[in-house]
Amino acid sequence: EEYMPEVKVEGDTLTIKHANEAYRIQIGGWNNMECDVTIYVPEGSELGDVNMNIDLGNIAIKDEITVGEVEIVANLGNVELENIKAEKINVQADLGNVEIKKSVTETLNITAELGDVAVKKTEFTDGIIKNDLGAIEVEGSFESLKAECSLGDLKVQCDNIDEASMDLEADLGSVKVNGKNQGSEYHR
C-alpha cells in the first residue's frame, strides 16, 4: 500500500503522484517489477490541455485524440505521440527519443538534449526543433520550420517545399532537404 500512487480529480484535472516523494511512482520497473499507468479516454473525446511531467519512464499517446495544448516534460524516457490533433505541442526531453507521427498542430516546439527527434507524416504551421546530441528528422508539410542540431544530422522531407520557409543548421552534422545534401546549413 505504501507504493500506491495518489490519484485525484479536481474539476477537469486528473493528477497522479506518489504521496511519499522518496518512492514516487515507479514507472518502467523497480526491483524487476513492471509498472504502467494507463489512462483511458472514451473514443471521440475532446480534451482541454494535456500536461505531463515524468521523471523516469516512457510516455506514449497513440490513439486519435483532439486536445487544446500538449505540454510534456520528460527527464529520462522516450516520448511517442501519434494521431494527435492539437493547437500546440510542446515537448522537452532531457534523455530519450522523441517521435511524433501522423499528427496535426498549429505550433510544434521540441527541445531535446540527448536522443533523436523524429516528426513523421505530420502537418504543422510553425515549428521550432532544437536538439543538442542526436539527429532530427522531419517529414510532412509545414509553413515554417526552424531546426538546430548541435551534434547530429538534420533531415527534412517537405511535402510543400515551394511554400515552406526553413532555417536549418547542424553544427557537427549534415543537413539534407528532400534528399539533397545542403552542407551544414539551409535557409529558405
Side-chain angles (χ1 to χ4, degrees):
E1 203 170 289
E2 68 181 302
Y3 300 110
M4 292 299 293
E6 177 183 315
V7 180
K8 69 179 178 180
V9 176
E10 287 183 20
D12 61 356
T13 302
L14 170 67
T15 304
I16 302 171
K17 67 179 186 177
H18 202 288
N20 183 343
E21 288 295 315
Y23 292 115
R24 302 211 177 215
I25 299 173
Q26 300 297 325
I27 299 175
W30 182 63
N31 288 343
N32 295 320
M33 296 178 355
E34 281 195 33
C35 182
D36 293 322
V37 174
T38 304
I39 301 169
Y40 294 97
V41 177
E43 192 172 318
S45 294
E46 290 190 24
L47 301 177
D49 296 337
V50 173
N51 296 299
M52 302 178 107
N53 190 336
I54 304 292
D55 287 332
L56 173 62
N58 298 323
I59 296 172
I61 303 174
K62 295 186 173 188
D63 292 329
E64 285 188 31
I65 192 165
T66 300
V67 298
E69 292 186 16
V70 176
E71 180 83 34
I72 295 176
V73 176
N75 292 326
L76 177 58
N78 298 323
V79 176
E80 185 178 355
L81 305 177
E82 186 172 351
N83 292 316
I84 305 294
K85 288 184 183 178
E87 294 170 19
K88 188 177 206 178
I89 296 175
N90 287 320
V91 177
Q92 178 185 332
D94 291 338
L95 177 59
N97 297 325
V98 176
E99 184 174 40
I100 299 175
K101 299 190 294 191
K102 301 177 187 173
S103 295
V104 178
T105 186
E106 289 291 319
T107 305
L108 177 66
N109 291 315
I110 301 172
T111 303
E113 294 198 20
L114 178 58
D116 294 334
V117 173
V119 178
K120 298 180 178 183
K121 298 180 181 177
T122 293
E123 298 175 27
F124 56 92
T125 304
D126 297 308
I128 298 174
I129 303 173
K130 294 181 182 180
N131 195 355
D132 289 338
L133 298 168
I136 297 174
E137 182 178 352
V138 178
E139 173 192 323
S141 61
F142 51 85
E143 288 182 21
S144 169
L145 173 63
K146 180 176 181 168
E148 298 176 22
C149 194
S150 296
L151 179 58
D153 294 331
L154 201 161
K155 185 169 28 171
V156 175
Q157 185 67 39
C158 182
D159 296 340
N160 61 322
I161 193 157
D162 293 331
E163 296 89 34
S165 116
M166 290 181 250
D167 187 10
L168 312 175
E169 294 181 19
D171 294 338
L172 293 171
S174 64
V175 175
K176 282 189 179 180
V177 177
N178 286 11
K180 295 181 184 173
N181 193 349
Q182 305 294 330
S184 63
E185 293 184 15
Y186 181 81
H187 307 280
R188 173 184 163 81

